[in-house]
């Protein structure tokens, strides 16, 4: 049985904090490895001569930081660090020998490459770049925000100019919104399987992340209200269009219900709405019903091209100064060059053209997903950038993804998206955008189907059974 190399008998501070530090140190050092079962609360308390409550408090804090997971009737297990879990299955660098279906990103074709070359050529020919002369105002140059405001308005999203901040993509927008309203130990709710950036932010800002169950439309209103009645909830982070990784799409009535509950209990709603331009129907943002509680996040990254990291964060009017100050201390203003390109492309219609191209490509690729994987597809949409796919019960996610990797295909398992105490769904996320062409995608999907039809190797079988 693992025991920490500490003596708590003479510790003058809170014993549970010393135990927290010891557990995390041993996990980081590799002395406690992924999936190792921890001693029970009672066993460890007896060995260390401390109370069961001390061990319980320590386990709870380490679990909150993402290093442990508890499973009902099985115990507490070491969880690989979020960065390790993400980098294992979400590729940081493109590998030429792999069909990369692991990262949600827009398709990048010759059309997109030509756009990039043309804009850089035009910029190089200009004699003066006034947008490179200053790194303020922090919220972004006014004319960039004006163009962004008109673009957002064309999608039914209205905001006063002082309430719009330009960010380096949606991730910075979500982080800025959370840092504006959340304090350590506040409770923030999100989908039970959610973007791994939100999970990482919980560790940095030290808030408590709560998981809400979902269906095809996303967060269940009754579960949200139940949590609001039971404890004080500071904020809700929600992606109502093409939820990452499960591809939920929230309808109008559900949006109104979520907004009504948030309004009633005074919960801030941070809406990650990056996929809105890809959606071919008009659904109002949840935050449109919450002028004093809503943060709306959008970006060009997921609809034009991956390197165009320009986002727009709309904040409640009374928090515009505070949000700008958070942006200032965490990254200053959004990169002016990217904002300039984004503004020009919005103004001349290039963004709309890129969205049209992206929708057509996704329709073609999502049709392939449905044809090849059939009933295994849990949830996908004609213009979404990914699909949520169930794998057969005789496979575990890691073994399935590992087998695919051997055969030249990278996918993402559920681990990077799991909030605390969420059971594994035995599903994978398949991303159909990226640099992959349609023939390569077809080959990758056929490899996935072929692997589903196989039994795992003996080594994997022994682990499962």
């Amino acid at each position: 049985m693992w025991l920490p190399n500490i003596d708590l008998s003479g510790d003058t501070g809170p014993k549970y904090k010393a135990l927290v530090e010891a557990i995390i140190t041993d996990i980081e050092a590799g002395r406690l490895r992924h999936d190792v079962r921890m001693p029970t609360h009672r066993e460890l308390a007896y060995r260390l001569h401390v109370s069961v409550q001390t061990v319980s408090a320590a386990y709870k804090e380490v679990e909150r930081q993402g290093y442990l997971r508890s499973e009902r009737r099985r115990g507490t297990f070491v969880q690989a660090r979020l960065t390790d879990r993400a980098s294992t299955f979400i590729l940081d660098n493109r590998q030429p020998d792999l069909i990369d279906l692991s990262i949600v990103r827009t398709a990048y074709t010759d059309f997109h490459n030509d756009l990039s070359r043309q804009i850089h050529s035009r910029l190089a020919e200009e004699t003066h770049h006034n947008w490179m002369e200053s790194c303020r105002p922090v919220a972004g140059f006014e004319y960039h925000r004006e163009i962004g405001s008109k673009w957002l308005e064309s999608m039914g999203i209205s905001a006063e100019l002082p309430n719009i901040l330009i960010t380096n993509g949606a991730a910075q927008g979500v982080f800025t919104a959370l840092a504006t309203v959340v304090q350590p130990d506040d409770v923030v709710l999100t989908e039970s399987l959610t973007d791994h950036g939100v999970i990482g932010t919980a560790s940095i800002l030290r808030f408590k992340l709560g998981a809400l169950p979902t269906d095809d439309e996303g967060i269940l209103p009754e579960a949200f209200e139940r949590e609001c009645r039971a404890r004080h909830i500071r904020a809700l982070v929600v992606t109502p269009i093409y939820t990452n990784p499960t591809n939920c799409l929230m309808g109008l009535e559900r949006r109104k219900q979520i907004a009504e509950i948030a309004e009633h209990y005074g919960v801030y709603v941070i809406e990650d709405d990056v996929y809105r331009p890809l959606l071919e129907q008009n659904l109002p943002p949840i935050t449109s019903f919450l002028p004093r509680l809503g943060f709306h996040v959008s970006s060009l990254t997921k609809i034009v091209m991956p390197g165009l990291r320009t986002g727009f964060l709309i904040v409640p009017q009374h928090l515009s100064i505070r949000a700008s100050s958070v942006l200032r201390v965490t990254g200053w203003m959004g990169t002016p060059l990217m904002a300039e390109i984004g503004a020009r492309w919005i103004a001349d219609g290039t963004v709309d053209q890129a969205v049209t191209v992206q929708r057509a490509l996704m329709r073609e690729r999502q049709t392939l997903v449905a044809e090849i994987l059939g009933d295994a597809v849990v949830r996908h949409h004609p213009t979404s950038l990914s699909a949520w796919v169930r794998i057969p019960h005789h496979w575990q996610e890691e073994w399935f993804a590992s087998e695919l990797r051997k055969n030249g295909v990278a996918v993402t398992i559920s681990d990077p998206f799991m909030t605390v105490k969420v059971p594994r769904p035995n599903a994978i996320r398949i991303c159909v955008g990226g640099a992959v062409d349609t023939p390569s995608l077809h080959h990758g999907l056929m490899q996935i189907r072929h692997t589903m039809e196989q039994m795992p190797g003996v080594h994997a079988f022994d682990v499962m059974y």
Side-chain angles (χ1 to χ4, degrees):
M1 182 178 71
W2 167 85
L3 285 176
N5 186 24
I6 55 173
D7 179 9
L8 297 176
S9 60
D11 202 308
T12 57
K15 290 182 171 61
Y16 88 93
K17 288 188 176 181
L19 182 54
V20 166
E21 184 176 342
I23 294 171
I24 292 176
T25 297
D26 279 5
I27 291 174
E28 294 281 7
R31 289 184 287 272
L32 273 173
R33 296 186 179 277
H34 177 45
D35 270 346
V36 166
R37 182 175 177 175
M38 296 290 289
T40 67
H41 297 207
R42 192 171 299 279
E43 285 173 334
L44 191 56
Y46 173 77
R47 297 277 186 151
L48 296 179
H49 307 290
V50 296
S51 69
V52 174
Q53 289 79 7
T54 295
V55 175
S56 296
Y59 276 18
K60 184 177 180 180
E61 174 58 21
V62 178
E63 186 174 337
R64 186 186 73 81
Q65 294 189 38
Y67 289 89
L68 294 178
R69 73 176 189 276
S70 61
E71 297 184 9
R72 189 178 180 186
R73 297 179 181 173
R74 291 195 65 214
T76 302
F77 296 83
V78 176
Q79 180 85 303
R81 295 172 300 173
L82 173 66
T83 51
D84 293 340
R85 300 201 303 275
S87 62
T88 299
F89 295 101
I90 302 175
L91 300 182
D92 280 340
N93 298 301
R94 184 169 297 149
Q95 299 180 18
D97 57 337
L98 276 179
I99 298 172
D100 184 6
L101 310 180
S102 71
I103 300 178
V104 176
R105 57 189 173 200
T106 56
Y108 191 87
T109 65
D110 289 342
F111 164 80
H112 298 89
N113 197 51
D114 287 345
L115 288 181
S116 181
R117 290 173 58 251
Q118 290 163 14
I119 188 67
H120 284 94
S121 177
R122 287 200 298 272
L123 292 174
E125 291 173 358
E126 294 178 3
T127 57
H128 188 67
H129 293 160
N130 63 321
W131 35 270
M132 292 294 284
E133 292 178 356
S134 178
C135 58
R136 61 183 71 220
V138 171
F141 295 136
E142 186 169 317
Y143 76 97
H144 286 166
R145 288 185 288 145
E146 285 177 349
I147 292 171
S149 175
K150 291 177 182 177
W151 177 65
L152 291 167
E153 190 175 346
S154 72
M155 295 182 287
I157 304 162
S158 61
E160 299 294 327
L161 207 60
N163 304 333
I164 300 177
L165 282 68
I166 294 178
T167 63
N168 290 314
Q172 189 184 27
V174 172
F175 183 94
T176 301
L178 282 165
T180 298
V181 296
V182 173
Q183 297 295 319
D185 293 324
D186 279 348
V187 179
V188 175
L189 300 179
T190 189
E191 298 95 351
S192 55
L193 291 169
T194 193
D195 186 275
H196 56 86
V198 177
I199 300 173
T201 299
S203 297
I204 295 171
L205 297 181
R206 302 184 64 79
F207 58 78
K208 298 173 181 176
L209 193 60
L212 292 174
T214 61
D215 61 8
D216 284 347
E217 291 195 55
I219 288 170
L220 300 177
E222 57 269 26
F224 179 32
E225 184 160 27
R226 186 164 56 246
E227 287 286 341
C228 290
R229 286 199 305 265
R231 53 182 175 164
H232 177 67
I233 305 300
R234 184 62 172 171
L236 170 72
V237 181
V238 58
T239 306
I241 296 175
Y242 306 157
T243 307
N244 186 23
T246 53
N247 246 285
C248 304
L249 176 58
M250 191 177 291
L252 176 59
E253 291 307 312
R254 179 74 60 89
R255 291 164 184 261
K256 290 180 178 178
Q257 287 177 292
I258 296 296
E260 287 172 4
I261 296 166
E263 181 74 42
H264 181 76
Y265 291 96
V267 177
Y268 286 103
V269 173
I270 298 160
E271 182 173 12
D272 187 344
D273 209 22
V274 292
Y275 302 112
R276 170 170 293 278
L278 297 179
L279 186 67
E280 296 179 300
Q281 63 186 107
N282 184 22
L283 288 169
I286 298 172
T287 49
S288 66
F289 305 109
L290 296 165
R292 289 191 57 80
L293 294 170
F295 291 80
H296 184 272
V297 180
S298 59
S299 171
L300 300 179
T301 307
K302 289 292 195 290
I303 61 169
V304 180
M305 57 183 67
L308 187 58
R309 299 201 56 78
T310 292
F312 300 97
L313 170 63
I314 301 174
V315 306
Q317 183 176 359
H318 66 289
L319 291 172
S320 60
I321 294 175
R322 182 171 180 82
S324 291
S325 68
V326 170
L327 192 61
R328 177 184 291 110
V329 300
T330 56
W332 207 257
M333 71 185 301
T335 306
L337 173 59
M338 292 295 101
E340 177 70 16
I341 293 173
R344 292 189 185 200
W345 279 352
I346 289 172
D348 68 13
T350 299
V351 167
D352 291 338
Q353 187 181 2
V355 168
T356 300
V357 169
Q358 205 65 228
R359 285 173 174 173
L361 287 167
M362 291 309 104
R363 284 193 209 97
E364 178 186 4
R365 296 181 182 189
Q366 290 289 1
T367 298
L368 274 181
V369 170
E371 290 175 352
I372 295 174
L373 299 183
D375 292 340
V377 180
V378 179
R379 201 174 295 113
H380 73 145
H381 298 278
T383 58
S384 66
L385 301 179
S386 66
W388 187 234
V389 176
R390 184 181 297 108
I391 63 175
H393 71 278
H394 54 263
W395 281 101
Q396 282 190 357
E397 293 178 22
E398 298 102 317
W399 291 110
F400 188 81
S402 179
E403 187 66 27
L404 285 176
R405 188 71 67 93
K406 292 177 189 175
N407 291 287
V409 181
V411 298
T412 309
I413 65 173
S414 63
D415 273 29
F417 312 105
M418 291 172 62
T419 49
V420 177
K421 296 182 180 179
V422 174
R424 271 190 173 176
N426 222 42
I428 58 172
R429 186 189 67 182
I430 296 172
C431 305
V432 299
V436 64
D437 56 26
T438 302
S440 297
L441 174 64
H442 185 277
H443 177 77
L445 293 173
M446 291 298 295
Q447 188 63 56
I448 291 170
R449 188 174 80 177
H450 174 72
T451 306
M452 286 179 174
E453 293 168 350
Q454 302 296 311
M455 291 295 290
V458 173
H459 60 296
F461 193 89
D462 288 343
V463 169
M464 292 186 290
Y465 297 100

